Amino acid sequence: MFLFLLIIIVAFIGQLIFPWWIIIPIVMVCCGLKANSVTSAFLSSFIAIFILWLLMSVFLSFQNDHILANRVGEMLGLKLYSYNWLLVALISTLPGAITAGFAGASGFLLRRVFSNN
Amino acid sequence: MKGTYLIKLVVFIAITVGFAFIFNSKIGDIPPLGKFLNPFTGFWQNAEDVKGITNQSLIKAGLQDSVRILIDEQGIPHVFAENEHDLYFAQGYITAKDRLWQMDFQTRYAAGRLSEVVGKKALELDRYQRRMGMVYGAEAMLKESLNDPKSKLIIEAYSAGINAYIKELSPRDYPIEFKILNYKPEKWTPLNSALLLKLMSATLARGTNELAMNNIMAKYGEDVTNDLFPNYPFNEDPIIPVGTSWDFNQNAPKAPISPSPLITLIKNNGQVKKEWPLSSRLLTATKEENVGSNNWAIAGNRSSTGFPILANDPHLDLTLPSIWYQIQLHSPTMNVYGVSIPGAPNVIIGFNENIAWGVTNVGSDVLDWYKIQFKDDTHQEYLYNDKWEKTNQRVEEIKIRGQESVLDTVYYTHQGPVSYAENQKPAEFSMGNNIPIDYALKWVAHLPSNELRTFYELNKAKDYDDYRKALVYFSAPAQNFVFADRQGDISITSNGLFPLKEKRQGKLLLNGNDATDEWINRIPVEENPTIKNPARGYVSSANQWPVDQSYPYYLGWEFGSYERAHRINTQLDTIHAANLKSFEALQNDNYSILAENILDTLVHILQTDKGLNDTESKALTLLKQWDRRYEVNSVAASLFDTWYNTLNRSIWADDFASDKELMRYPSRDRTVHLLLYEPASPWFSNGSTKQTRDEVVLASFKDAIKQLKESYGDLNNWEWGKIKKTHVPHLAAIEGFGSKVLQVGGSKHTVNAMSESNGPSWRMIVLLGKKPQAFGVIPGGQSGNPGSRFYDNQITTWEKGELNELLFLENSNLKQKGIISQIELKKLRN
């Protein structure tokens, strides 16, 4: 839980300044320091970015009355129309969450390879 | 143990890097997903807060004083500056803030630079734009504008303002289309503004029929060509009323072309030559019969206010972001409101405290093709007056995304660019179909010009004299400038640079070797067709002929058909106390003059047939009862429209359409005449099958019913709105970014000229007076951002045919009715 929250906070701050791929070094370092296993590193990173991106998108979409997300949904070929926004928000998390999951696992493995225990 | 971890590590890192790379790259048409979808810098950042009202105060280097921009409830900016430099700087700044991607994309389109962004699929389009001399023309215009200190100040300040906005941006702020197409805004240059004005010429005055006409002349000869493509229509209601006398200076220049007794008709292969007597020298203009716009103004003694009222609705291919950008510009020298072209300074159509003006297109013949005989395949020399002259070469470098640049050499004669020399024309490129091979293009939009100055002068004009002075600077695309002022004057002028031509010169292809085929002079600008305060108490235009046949100069042989103009004039003839409502109703008028002219005859023919089936009889009854209005729920409108189009095709397709060579149909005016008065014409026959008019009319009616049935099912589903499917697509046709299907009536030839997606791009009505009262609407909104509440907020009002009252401010006080926020731009203190 600590790891999960840590990732959310650091990734949030990091992405205010840097491009989206800044989450890769962030989760690697966080998992390198705090993860206990490949699985927990992967899941913490995946879920943390999933939640962070989802909350952020949904927040932005609500204050926009979902105007843009529904249009982007149509662009992507979705047919839910007035609920496109929710599906778009869920889809939007995937590139970040997937990349973060593997990066987190890599961070944990890095520690395993280079630590003395 | 460590070994397995190491292997795992390598695998996981490889996967991570792989995903990072894939999600950061554009693959085919798919945007880079990580970049695009992440909520911190991706498209979610373009989802504007719908309640967001933020006042901003920014310091901008380059300003001479402070500028205040008030934003109203429609998102329309009202710019208050202390001097003209700052005024145009702020216009550039605020336009870019709302429309940056549209400006960038349209500039690239005009300049033949789309391949840089979308890759190789735009290569032929890019080549075409360059080969038509778009950049060449824009450069000539820019050079001329920079020679005029006033235009120079305006265009440079405007560019600086755009760049001041671009400088503010970080990737998260880029308009969404930049993120979808994965590229960056680039620095704006004054040439871009010139390109956008050239784009207007390309849209309105680049049509060309000469090749088709040449082919028709070669196939059918002079008599048929003269008969089916006459040089003046049967039905006309010209802009300058019939019978107006031309009070011209007798010293005016005459057409410079020496009367050679024979002219040369050039065959496509350049080999076969055929001589025609001078009288048959049919020559250019092509025009989409239905491209058009309306404008009119009524005198104070016929309006309910006692002051003139002016209306304008320019018809264009509608897109989102909206074609026009509404703005008010206020400085110590002017206070003007209207619509501007995003990317070009000034107001193009609008009003100030004293005057109002509007434009419609003049379809005059301002484009000609000259056959060029090159000495050899190197294209270094060409024959002119039987002497070898050197060509100029312009090497166009077309950059292509992800690939090597293409170098394309265009040869220029003194006439202009040879758009496609032998072996240069692509086989599969429809825009190039009407371009003859080995011909030089002479086009008025290539000539040096300073249109910016016209709009600047109009923006601050006070009366009729100022209006006339402003028009002198305008070359292309020629427009009918309608005018009214609060002193009570109304006027209309068909204005632009009209080449002084021999009658019908350029209806066909011309001979580039023959100096007598050249344009040498222009019609004196003060003798362009114009009228002030005519006896009938109004002025109007709808792309029809500007003049009757008594006008001493040649303007072209074919203009927009007269139906809209005639309807407008008959309505204006009967209006007594014109007011906002009556003008609004006229802008939305769906009455069909075409139906008025031919429906009774067609229906009469149908009634002679006793073998109509059930649906056909029902359809006939509907047509008989039809009020001839293209209303959105009218089934009869769909019947008539489909029937007329089918009929038109069945008359002409067998003779004037061919896979082998380009041809065209005779005009609607000619077709109507044929239907009404020439029932025995051989043109009704199909090849060797002899057919009468009545047979063709009947067969096309049955065919039309069949088509409607196949496409839309039962007759109850044939409502005009459902068949026409009016909508406003996105500029780059991005799915989801256009409008839904709109419930709008009208047709190409009704005053409310709304077809599938071509129609009124701006409707404006101005009631002049002590203080002007104005109304307007665009089919879209102010913002170019699909994630803004102002992207399409006016579209419902437009769809209903209503107008918004335009907020014409007198001062920059933030706390006044209708203003929601302000942006303050402050100068940099030293």
Side-chain angles (χ1 to χ4, degrees):
Chain A
M1 197 60 192
F2 174 73
L3 175 59
F4 168 78
L5 288 174
L6 182 71
I7 294 173
I8 288 195
I9 292 161
V10 182
F12 178 77
I13 296 164
Q15 286 181 91
L16 292 180
I17 308 156
F18 296 101
W20 73 279
W21 46 255
I22 195 65
I23 59 173
I24 296 172
I26 289 172
V27 297
M28 280 178 88
V29 171
C30 292
C31 291
L33 295 173
K34 296 288 172 195
N36 304 320
S37 67
V38 172
T39 318
S40 78
F42 186 95
L43 286 179
S44 303
S45 306
F46 185 98
I47 296 170
I49 296 302
F50 175 81
I51 298 281
L52 175 62
W53 283 25
L54 186 66
L55 287 179
M56 184 77 182
S57 317
V58 167
F59 167 74
L60 291 171
S61 200
F62 264 100
Q63 64 171 21
N64 178 241
D65 268 355
H66 312 307
I67 297 170
L68 186 60
N70 282 325
R71 286 188 182 277
V72 170
E74 247 182 277
M75 178 183 102
L76 298 175
L78 305 181
K79 303 281 181 213
L80 287 174
Y81 300 105
S82 52
Y83 288 97
N84 272 350
W85 68 271
L86 189 58
L87 205 51
V88 172
L90 287 167
I91 293 169
S92 288
T93 62
L94 294 180
I98 292 170
T99 312
F102 285 100
S106 306
F108 169 76
L109 289 164
L110 209 58
R111 188 179 85 206
R112 271 295 143 90
V113 171
F114 290 103
S115 71
N116 295 320
N117 324 339
Chain B
M1 197 60 188
K2 280 216 163 155
T4 32
Y5 280 132
L6 188 61
I7 292 165
K8 274 193 190 168
L9 175 64
V10 171
V11 171
F12 274 77
I13 287 190
I15 295 175
T16 309
V17 171
F19 274 124
F21 179 76
I22 289 170
F23 291 145
N24 211 43
S25 316
K26 179 169 180 263
I27 299 165
D29 284 340
I30 301 169
L33 293 174
K35 247 170 134 174
F36 180 66
L37 294 174
N38 89 78
F40 292 87
T41 58
F43 84 86
W44 294 98
Q45 288 292 326
N46 302 86
E48 285 175 15
D49 185 347
V50 289
K51 291 180 207 71
I53 293 172
T54 39
N55 293 328
Q56 281 183 297
S57 182
L58 303 160
I59 292 169
K60 292 289 161 199
L63 280 178
Q64 296 167 357
D65 217 316
S66 290
V67 180
R68 182 177 283 187
I69 305 172
L70 300 179
I71 309 292
D72 72 23
E73 286 163 342
Q74 302 281 345
I76 297 159
H78 304 258
V79 179
F80 290 85
E82 300 303 323
N83 58 68
E84 287 183 350
H85 169 274
D86 289 357
L87 187 68
Y88 296 108
F89 182 100
Q91 187 186 9
Y93 177 86
I94 194 71
T95 308
K97 194 175 165 73
D98 278 326
R99 300 291 185 90
L100 184 61
W101 175 76
Q102 176 187 23
M103 292 156 58
D104 176 279
F105 194 78
Q106 288 188 319
T107 309
R108 287 175 185 280
Y109 173 77
R113 290 184 52 209
L114 278 183
S115 300
E116 288 174 25
V117 174
V118 304
K120 206 178 168 193
K121 63 183 170 193
L123 179 60
E124 282 309 333
L125 177 62
D126 285 348
R127 280 184 78 211
Y128 172 83
Q129 294 289 48
R130 294 175 190 230
R131 291 188 156 275
M132 294 297 281
M134 287 294 284
V135 186
Y136 168 72
E139 284 169 359
M141 176 183 185
L142 182 62
K143 197 170 159 214
E144 184 81 357
S145 302
L146 293 178
N147 283 336
D148 173 2
K150 194 53 97 177
S151 294
K152 182 173 155 70
L153 176 132
I154 293 169
I155 200 167
E156 288 181 346
Y158 185 80
S159 289
I162 295 170
N163 287 323
Y165 176 70
I166 293 173
K167 241 183 174 167
E168 278 177 21
L169 301 179
S170 64
R172 84 182 66 220
D173 310 314
Y174 293 167
I176 187 169
E177 291 92 342
F178 283 104
K179 297 179 183 179
I180 293 171
L181 298 167
N182 195 31
Y183 74 109
K184 282 198 269 266
E186 63 177 13
K187 191 168 182 250
W188 189 266
T189 63
L191 182 67
N192 289 359
S193 298
L195 278 162
L196 290 171
L197 292 166
K198 289 297 146 190
L199 195 56
M200 274 288 161
S201 273
T203 307
L204 298 171
R206 197 169 66 173
T208 168
N209 274 334
E210 288 85 344
L211 178 54
M213 291 308 304
N214 212 75
N215 290 340
I216 288 166
M217 177 72 124
K219 184 167 175 184
Y220 293 107
E222 188 191 348
D223 290 345
V224 167
T225 311
N226 280 340
D227 174 26
L228 294 184
F229 301 88
N231 299 309
Y232 202 83
F234 293 100
N235 282 317
E236 192 48 271
D237 194 339
I239 296 170
I240 309 300
V242 174
T244 305
S245 65
W246 305 104
D247 180 22
F248 287 158
N249 173 4
Q250 293 307 305
N251 300 323
K254 298 287 177 278
I257 300 141
S258 67
S260 56
L262 294 171
I263 71 141
T264 314
L265 173 80
I266 295 130
K267 288 274 196 154
N268 274 339
N269 56 19
Q271 302 291 322
V272 189
K273 289 189 172 183
K274 217 169 171 181
E275 305 291 322
W276 299 93
L278 182 68
S279 64
S280 71
R281 184 173 181 153
L282 306 171
L283 309 177
T284 233
T286 174
K287 310 314 134 157
E288 268 273 346
E289 202 165 0
N290 299 304
V291 164
S293 311
N294 309 315
N295 63 19
W296 61 83
I298 202 159
N301 59 11
R302 300 202 41 209
S303 80
S304 64
T305 58
F307 289 93
I309 307 178
L310 178 142
N312 186 199
D313 55 301
H315 311 154
L316 292 165
D317 283 332
L318 304 181
T319 51
L320 285 171
S322 295
I323 293 169
W324 301 104
Y325 186 71
Q326 283 171 254
I327 196 163
Q328 180 180 357
L329 298 173
H330 186 288
S331 77
T333 50
M334 72 174 73
N335 186 15
V336 63
Y337 187 115
V339 288
S340 60
I341 296 171
N346 300 305
V347 166
I348 305 289
I349 298 169
F351 63 95
N352 60 33
E353 298 104 322
N354 298 300
I355 71 149
W357 77 99
V359 297
T360 65
N361 194 47
V362 182
S364 51
D365 183 6
V366 293
L367 182 157
D368 282 322
W369 294 103
Y370 289 91
K371 173 73 188 172
I372 299 303
Q373 193 183 329
F374 290 108
K375 192 171 189 182
D376 52 45
D377 289 348
T378 63
H379 303 105
Q380 301 296 310
E381 290 178 65
Y382 67 104
L383 205 57
Y384 180 60
N385 262 344
D386 294 326
K387 289 201 199 76
W388 294 108
E389 302 282 341
K390 291 238 177 309
T391 57
N392 283 318
Q393 278 132 59
R394 194 181 155 108
V395 180
E396 300 283 355
E397 183 187 3
I398 305 175
K399 293 183 184 146
I400 305 174
R401 188 173 191 153
Q403 289 179 46
E404 261 182 60
S405 298
V406 167
L407 294 180
D408 198 26
T409 306
V410 187
Y411 303 99
Y412 280 72
T413 67
H414 70 284
Q415 289 108 340
V418 177
S419 295
Y420 292 111
E422 192 83 47
N423 299 325
Q424 288 182 333
K425 185 165 157 179
E428 301 286 325
F429 180 67
S430 62
M431 277 173 96
N433 282 352
N434 58 354
I435 312 297
I437 291 171
D438 275 348
Y439 280 78
L441 168 62
K442 177 86 182 179
W443 184 28
V444 74
H446 289 155
L447 304 177
S449 66
N450 186 12
E451 283 84 2
L452 280 178
R453 186 67 187 264
T454 296
F455 294 112
Y456 168 76
E457 298 291 343
L458 279 174
N459 286 190
K460 63 190 187 72
K462 292 190 166 58
D463 53 25
Y464 175 80
D465 289 341
D466 287 350
Y467 155 77
R468 291 292 295 169
K469 277 182 221 149
L471 296 188
V472 170
Y473 297 96
F474 196 87
S475 289
Q479 299 290 302
N480 297 302
F481 284 83
V482 69
F483 168 88
D485 67 23
R486 70 170 168 183
Q487 282 106 310
D489 285 331
I490 58 170
S491 177
I492 194 162
T493 307
S494 303
N495 187 56
L497 192 161
F498 299 119
L500 189 57
K501 291 180 163 191
E502 202 176 1
K503 233 179 174 188
R504 300 181 299 283
Q505 178 186 2
K507 185 170 180 177
L508 301 182
L509 302 169
L510 296 170
N511 184 359
N513 182 19
D514 184 354
T516 61
D517 268 13
E518 301 270 318
W519 311 352
I520 293 164
N521 214 328
R522 62 177 288 178
I523 295 174
V525 64
E526 61 280 6
E527 299 188 359
N528 284 347
T530 186
I531 194 157
K532 183 187 180 190
N533 300 329
R536 65 185 183 184
Y538 67 86
V539 290
S540 77
S541 77
N543 314 100
Q544 79 276 35
W545 269 84
V547 291
D548 66 10
Q549 295 184 81
S550 69
Y551 184 64
Y553 302 108
Y554 174 68
L555 290 170
W557 68 278
E558 192 175 45
F559 287 79
S561 57
Y562 89 120
E563 289 107 342
R564 281 182 289 117
H566 186 59
R567 176 66 179 170
I568 291 167
N569 290 348
T570 51
Q571 293 304 102
L572 291 176
D573 280 334
T574 56
I575 287 179
H576 282 296
N579 58 24
L580 174 65
K581 284 291 152 218
S582 55
F583 271 31
E584 201 179 280
L586 186 49
Q587 282 185 334
N588 285 286
D589 187 290
N590 293 327
Y591 184 80
S592 168
I593 293 288
L594 176 65
E596 180 178 286
N597 288 342
I598 61 169
L599 186 62
D600 288 347
T601 305
L602 297 185
V603 161
H604 184 76
I605 295 168
L606 271 201
Q607 283 169 326
T608 60
D609 188 283
K610 302 289 171 229
L612 295 182
N613 71 27
D614 218 29
T615 316
E616 287 160 2
S617 308
K618 263 190 219 158
L620 175 60
T621 312
L622 285 174
L623 282 170
K624 278 198 278 190
Q625 296 164 348
W626 187 33
D627 60 4
R628 298 172 185 145
R629 289 175 187 271
Y630 274 73
E631 301 300 349
V632 68
N633 55 5
S634 166
V635 170
S638 304
L639 288 165
F640 176 73
D641 205 74
T642 315
W643 184 14
Y644 179 77
N645 290 333
T646 310
L647 179 57
N648 190 39
R649 263 198 315 276
S650 14
I651 299 171
W652 303 121
D654 54 326
D655 300 306
F656 293 95
S658 153
D659 295 338
K660 290 189 210 82
E661 54 181 357
L662 186 77
M663 292 212 266
R664 53 159 288 187
Y665 291 179
S667 68
R668 188 158 60 227
D669 176 73
R670 186 66 190 85
T671 309
V672 166
H673 195 269
L674 190 85
L675 280 166
L676 295 181
Y677 307 112
E678 300 163 65
S681 166
W683 296 109
F684 287 111
S685 293
N686 196 345
S688 54
T689 323
K690 227 179 135 36
Q691 275 181 300
T692 65
R693 175 192 69 177
D694 293 8
E695 284 165 348
V696 176
V697 166
L698 190 64
S700 58
F701 176 72
K702 293 187 170 186
D703 187 10
I705 301 286
K706 207 173 118 212
Q707 292 168 41
L708 286 166
K709 222 174 203 167
E710 277 166 12
S711 308
Y712 307 100
D714 188 65
L715 182 132
N716 301 324
N717 298 325
W718 302 353
E719 287 181 10
W720 178 233
K722 289 182 188 162
I723 286 175
K724 185 171 63 146
K725 293 197 181 69
T726 294
H727 66 282
V728 184
H730 179 260
L731 177 61
I734 294 175
E735 208 61 44
F737 288 12
S739 79
K740 60 180 176 29
V741 171
L742 303 167
Q743 292 304 308
V744 192
S747 142
K748 289 169 180 179
H749 65 274
T750 61
V751 178
N752 179 23
M754 190 62 233
S755 60
E756 186 183 346
S757 55
N758 182 294
S761 55
W762 161 242
R763 287 194 184 109
M764 177 182 85
I765 296 173
V766 183
L767 289 73
L768 289 131
K770 288 199 181 71
K771 191 176 182 293
Q773 215 193 350
F775 301 82
V777 70
I778 52 178
Q782 276 300 98
S783 172
N785 178 11
S788 162
R789 71 189 132 142
F790 295 126
Y791 182 63
D792 61 357
N793 61 314
Q794 296 190 42
I795 212 162
T796 312
T797 311
W798 179 89
E799 184 182 12
K800 285 189 274 188
E802 293 167 3
L803 302 167
N804 295 314
E805 176 150 15
L806 306 175
L807 195 57
F808 187 54
L809 303 180
E810 283 164 348
N811 66 67
S812 64
N813 190 352
L814 173 60
K815 299 219 159 42
Q816 54 184 317
K817 198 173 160 273
I819 295 302
I820 57 170
S821 65
Q822 72 166 7
I823 299 171
E824 245 187 320
L825 302 178
K826 292 184 173 157
K827 70 168 177 174
L828 186 66
R829 303 214 175 268
N830 306 325

